[in-house]
């Protein structure tokens, strides 16, 4: 195994020099390739330019940009000379940038465009260390002048590539020598957490943290040289970043797209990808699109689609039981399942095949002829999505990790996935479950807190040894803050987060995520957030699915003056009451105290940076203030 990420790129570029490493759209919307040889050369040119500007080994360099080909080129260039990137996306607020860049005292900051440059310059007086800005896009004379007035030198990325090329000619092997000095334990980046649980913390990740994962992950997420992967996630987030390294080490091709349905589907048609890494919300959007299209078709076709989906799900459940493809916590009862299910399994098989011919095959065709699997990470993958895609023959393998574990702890293998878990820990990583009260190590199948140890665990929080100490045990295990259990084969099953746990007045502990996932199965519910800390009962904020509600009103002859008035109507309130009670009740596996007593309907879609983090997780701590009035209405005394 190579000792640093740029050394890994050097090795792949030597072996697959003319294979496309990146595919990016030109002005005409057509994908253009950057070969591995070109990617490596561009990275060294940029690293050389940074050396010419006197960037030092170990120095933090800000990298404020969304995913694009230049991001990876800059990232590799920074790491090649031993510097440390401090990444963040374009959705970062001015206060986010001020905090991140002041804590790390960055002298040099790379920004994607004029908008990001302006944000950074607006807080220049609070960033005394800042001396130089580098923009991926061309900048106007006005912005250049504003930068000079603020005492900040400004360059464009293309300009520095030329500078770096000249520097390498005049200073033979200087960049290559710096790259060679890099070692396993060198710091690669400082990633500030997205803030789902409060104030962002700077996670220090080494080259070894990233490379540990590249030992086994290519065995679980298999690619061939030249295979394509469509990328839609923010690369500053560690899940997307490591996924790109997994693709690069296998000499496959990174294809940059957007998580917007029409754009994504068009790009999939063009590049015919082997894998699609995404957060669960992207796969949820695909599912919703399929369901919406079938409902609009209506009639016998919609009825047949629903019938075949139900048959396929039932058949898949029996198949998993019979062939030991469900997660298991005690022992397998294979013989019993074969006796119970053999006849119905055989009888349903022709119907499932018919459903495949009529409907499922067409859905899979939307993903291309080379599609191997989707990779879901960065949040809880709802069971109903898992059931649906498994049943129709679309592989989605769920992974698990945190920023602090760089991030991959485990992932289901594409070749042999087991349903209902996030896979077993990868080589070089150990997992244990401990009691949440006394910390005793628990047996397989017992519920508790998840702790991790191994080569992916971070170096610590930047300048915060106090916070590092809080998450590391005395015997060197990292406390993830997640709750779950281990199967008989050490597969991890996630059951929620300790900080998400709602404690009711009666002392009952409630994990909101399973309830929210269940509620999201309703076509009338876009997102549900369970609330109720220190209350007598649970409530829910329900983000209504506007298109479906209006369609329901039209179908049922409900008159209304405005959308808000429609949601407040007795008919719609009754509809939601029925939907919620039908989904969350003892018959569907929930305890009595887990039922939703009251709800409040909201209309504003959740936004990244407001209610959602960059990886589109709900930032619960913000909701209490943003929706204070609605939450109070749920729990007000009768």
């Amino acid at each position: 195994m190579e000792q640093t990420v740029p050394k890994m790129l050097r090795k792949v570029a030597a072996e697959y020099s003319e294979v496309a490493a990146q595919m990016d759209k030109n002005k005409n919307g057509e994908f253009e390739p950057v070969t591995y040889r070109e990617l490596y050369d561009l990275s060294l040119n940029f690293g050389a330019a940074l050396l010419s500007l006197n960037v030092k080994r170990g120095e933090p360099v800000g990298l404020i940009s969304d995913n694009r080909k230049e991001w990876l080129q800059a990232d590799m260039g920074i790491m090649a000379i031993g510097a440390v990137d401090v990444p963040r996306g374009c959705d970062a607020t001015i206060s986010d940038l001020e905090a991140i860049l002041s804590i790390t005292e960055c002298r040099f900051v790379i920004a994607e465009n004029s908008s990001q440059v302006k944000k950074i310059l607006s807080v220049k007086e609070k960033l005394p260390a800042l001396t130089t800005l580098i923009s991926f896009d061309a900048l106007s004379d006005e912005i250049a002048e504003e930068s000079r007035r603020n005492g900040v030198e400004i360059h464009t990325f293309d300009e520095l590539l030329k500078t770096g090329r000249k520097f390498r000619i005049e200073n033979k092997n200087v960049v290559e020598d710096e790259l060679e000095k890099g070692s396993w334990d060198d710091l690669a980046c400082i990633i500030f957490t997205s803030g789902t649980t409060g104030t962002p913390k700077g996670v220090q990740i080494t080259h070894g943290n990233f490379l540990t994962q590249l030992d086994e992950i290519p065995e679980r997420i298999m690619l061939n040289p030249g295979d394509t992967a469509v990328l839609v996630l923010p690369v500053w987030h560690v899940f997307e970043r490591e996924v790109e390294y997994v693709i690069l080490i296998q000499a496959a091709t990174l294809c940059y797209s957007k998580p917007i349905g029409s754009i994504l589907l068009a790009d999939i048609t063009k590049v015919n990808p082997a894998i699609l890494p995404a957060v669960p919300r992207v796969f949820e959007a695909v599912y919703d699109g399929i369901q919406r299209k079938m409902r609009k078709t209506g009639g016998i076709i919609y009825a047949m689609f629903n019938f075949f989906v139900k048959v396929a799900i039932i058949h898949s459940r029996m198949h998993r039981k019979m062939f030991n493809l469900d997660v298991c916590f005690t022992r397998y009862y294979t013989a019993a399942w074969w006796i119970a299910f053999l006849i119905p399994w055989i009888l349903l098989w022709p119907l499932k095949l018919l459903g495949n011919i009529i409907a499922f095959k067409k859905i899979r065709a939307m993903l291309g002829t080379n599609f191997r699997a989707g990779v879901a990470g960065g949040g809880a993958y709802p069971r109903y999505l898992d059931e649906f895609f498994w049943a129709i023959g679309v592989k989605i393998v769920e992974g698990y990790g945190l920023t602090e574990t760089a991030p991959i702890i485990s992932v289901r293998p594409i070749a042999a996935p087991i349903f209902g878990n996030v896979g077993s820990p990868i080589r070089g990583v150990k997992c244990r479950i401990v009691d949440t009260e006394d910390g005793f190590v628990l047996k397989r199948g017992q519920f508790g807190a998840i702790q991790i140890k191994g080569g992916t665990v971070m170096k610590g929080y930047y300048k915060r040894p106090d916070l590092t100490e809080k998450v590391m045990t005395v015997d060197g295990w990292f406390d993830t803050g997640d709750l779950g259990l281990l199967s008989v084969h050490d597969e991890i099953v996630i059951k929620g987060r300790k900080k998400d746990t709602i404690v009711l007045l009666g002392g009952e502990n409630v994990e909101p995520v399973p309830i929210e996932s269940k509620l999201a199965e309703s076509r009338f519910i876009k997102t549900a957030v369970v609330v109720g800390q220190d209350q007598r009962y649970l409530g829910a904020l329900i983000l209504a699915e506007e298109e479906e509600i209006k369609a329901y009103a039209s179908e049922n002859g409900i008159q209304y003056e405005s959308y808000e008035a429609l949601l407040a109507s007795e008919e719609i309130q009754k509809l939601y009451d029925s939907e919620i009670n039908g989904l969350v009740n003892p018959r569907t596996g929930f305890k009595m105290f887990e039922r939703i007593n009251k709800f409040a309907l909201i209309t504003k879609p959740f936004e990244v940076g407001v209610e959602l983090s960059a990886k589109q997780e709900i930032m619960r701590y913000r909701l209490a203030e943003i929706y204070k009035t609605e939450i109070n209405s749920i729990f007000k005394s009768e």
Side-chain angles (χ1 to χ4, degrees), residues 217-353:
I217 291 298
E219 298 171 19
R220 301 195 189 191
I221 310 296
M222 305 160 296
L223 291 165
N224 298 311
D227 275 351
T228 53
V230 173
L231 307 175
V232 297
L233 300 179
V235 70
W236 75 266
H237 186 261
V238 70
F239 169 56
E240 174 68 14
R241 180 172 180 150
E242 182 63 17
V243 160
E244 296 195 11
Y245 297 160
V246 170
I247 295 164
L248 290 175
I249 199 172
Q250 299 182 81
T253 306
L254 309 169
C255 302
Y256 303 100
S257 184
K258 300 286 183 184
I260 300 167
S262 56
I263 296 175
L264 177 57
L265 288 174
D267 289 344
I268 285 174
T269 300
K270 286 181 181 178
V271 303
N272 198 17
I275 65 167
L276 170 62
V279 292
R281 285 179 185 272
V282 172
F283 298 112
E284 195 171 32
V286 173
Y287 170 85
D288 288 343
I290 294 168
Q291 295 291 339
R292 193 174 296 115
K293 183 177 180 180
M294 297 310 300
R295 278 195 298 274
K296 285 183 177 178
T297 303
I300 188 66
I301 294 176
Y302 182 41
M304 287 176 64
F305 173 77
N306 281 333
F307 172 74
F308 285 125
V309 167
K310 287 176 182 177
V311 166
I313 288 174
I314 292 169
H315 188 272
S316 295
R317 287 173 181 171
M318 290 190 292
H319 185 87
R320 291 197 301 267
K321 290 290 186 185
M322 294 165 66
F323 291 90
N324 299 336
L325 297 177
D326 269 336
V327 66
C328 178
F329 302 108
T330 52
R331 52 168 293 196
Y332 292 106
Y333 296 95
T334 311
W337 293 127
W338 273 82
I339 292 169
F341 292 148
L342 179 59
I343 293 175
W345 179 76
I346 292 172
L347 292 175
L348 289 178
W349 184 258
L351 289 173
K352 186 175 181 180
L353 286 178

Side-chain angles (χ1 to χ4, degrees), residues 85-378:
D85 65 72
V86 183
R88 197 71 176 197
C90 290
D91 61 339
T93 64
I94 291 175
S95 59
D96 284 340
L97 295 179
E98 179 190 330
I100 291 165
L101 299 177
S102 61
I103 290 169
T104 52
E105 301 178 89
C106 289
R107 292 192 300 145
F108 296 82
V109 178
I110 302 162
E112 177 162 357
N113 50 35
S114 301
S115 176
Q116 305 313 309
V117 169
K118 286 179 179 178
K119 284 198 284 188
I120 295 165
L121 290 176
S122 72
V123 289
K124 171 60 181 75
E125 61 184 33
K126 297 178 181 177
L127 304 173
L130 178 64
T131 63
T132 308
L133 280 169
I134 301 163
S135 175
F136 285 145
D137 289 347
L139 298 172
S140 66
D141 292 339
E142 180 186 349
I143 292 177
E145 179 57 34
E146 183 183 351
S147 180
R148 283 191 286 271
R149 284 199 305 270
N150 279 275
V152 177
E153 188 179 333
I154 198 154
H155 303 276
T156 65
F157 185 72
D158 286 344
E159 168 202 331
L160 288 185
L161 288 179
K162 294 175 184 176
T163 300
R165 191 180 303 116
K166 182 181 178 184
F167 183 88
R168 289 178 67 195
I169 293 170
E170 296 171 352
N171 300 270
K172 293 290 184 183
N173 296 323
V174 170
V175 184
E176 288 84 351
D177 290 344
E178 286 298 328
L179 187 150
E180 196 59 44
K181 291 177 187 175
S183 66
W184 185 269
D185 293 323
D186 285 352
L187 199 58
C189 62
I190 303 168
I191 300 179
F192 282 79
T193 57
S194 54
T196 55
T197 55
T199 306
K201 302 180 286 288
V203 179
Q204 300 179 96
I205 299 177
T206 67
H207 288 271
N209 292 151
F210 284 132
L211 294 170
T212 294
Q213 300 159 78
L214 300 183
D215 177 37
E216 187 184 355
I217 291 298
E219 298 171 19
R220 301 195 189 191
I221 310 296
M222 305 160 296
L223 291 165
N224 298 311
D227 275 351
T228 53
V230 173
L231 307 175
V232 297
L233 300 179
V235 70
W236 75 266
H237 186 261
V238 70
F239 169 56
E240 174 68 14
R241 180 172 180 150
E242 182 63 17
V243 160
E244 296 195 11
Y245 297 160
V246 170
I247 295 164
L248 290 175
I249 199 172
Q250 299 182 81
T253 306
L254 309 169
C255 302
Y256 303 100
S257 184
K258 300 286 183 184
I260 300 167
S262 56
I263 296 175
L264 177 57
L265 288 174
D267 289 344
I268 285 174
T269 300
K270 286 181 181 178
V271 303
N272 198 17
I275 65 167
L276 170 62
V279 292
R281 285 179 185 272
V282 172
F283 298 112
E284 195 171 32
V286 173
Y287 170 85
D288 288 343
I290 294 168
Q291 295 291 339
R292 193 174 296 115
K293 183 177 180 180
M294 297 310 300
R295 278 195 298 274
K296 285 183 177 178
T297 303
I300 188 66
I301 294 176
Y302 182 41
M304 287 176 64
F305 173 77
N306 281 333
F307 172 74
F308 285 125
V309 167
K310 287 176 182 177
V311 166
I313 288 174
I314 292 169
H315 188 272
S316 295
R317 287 173 181 171
M318 290 190 292
H319 185 87
R320 291 197 301 267
K321 290 290 186 185
M322 294 165 66
F323 291 90
N324 299 336
L325 297 177
D326 269 336
V327 66
C328 178
F329 302 108
T330 52
R331 52 168 293 196
Y332 292 106
Y333 296 95
T334 311
W337 293 127
W338 273 82
I339 292 169
F341 292 148
L342 179 59
I343 293 175
W345 179 76
I346 292 172
L347 292 175
L348 289 178
W349 184 258
L351 289 173
K352 186 175 181 180
L353 286 178
L354 186 59
N356 182 61
I357 294 168
I358 293 174
F360 308 154
K361 192 176 179 181
K362 294 176 182 177
I363 294 172
R364 293 197 300 272
M366 293 167 60
L367 299 170
T369 57
N370 196 39
F371 187 76
R372 198 165 299 141
V375 183

Side-chain angles (χ1 to χ4, degrees), residues 616-634:
Q616 298 186 43
E617 284 185 336
I618 295 168
M619 295 190 283
R620 297 177 188 274
Y621 73 97
R622 289 192 176 178
L623 298 184
E625 186 59 37
I626 296 172
Y627 297 101
K628 184 177 181 179
T629 302
E630 290 83 355
I631 293 173
N632 285 343
S633 71
I634 292 172

Side-chain angles (χ1 to χ4, degrees), residues 52-63:
S52 74
L53 293 173
N54 202 30
V55 174
K56 305 293 186 184
R57 174 169 291 276
E59 178 172 0
V61 176
L63 183 47

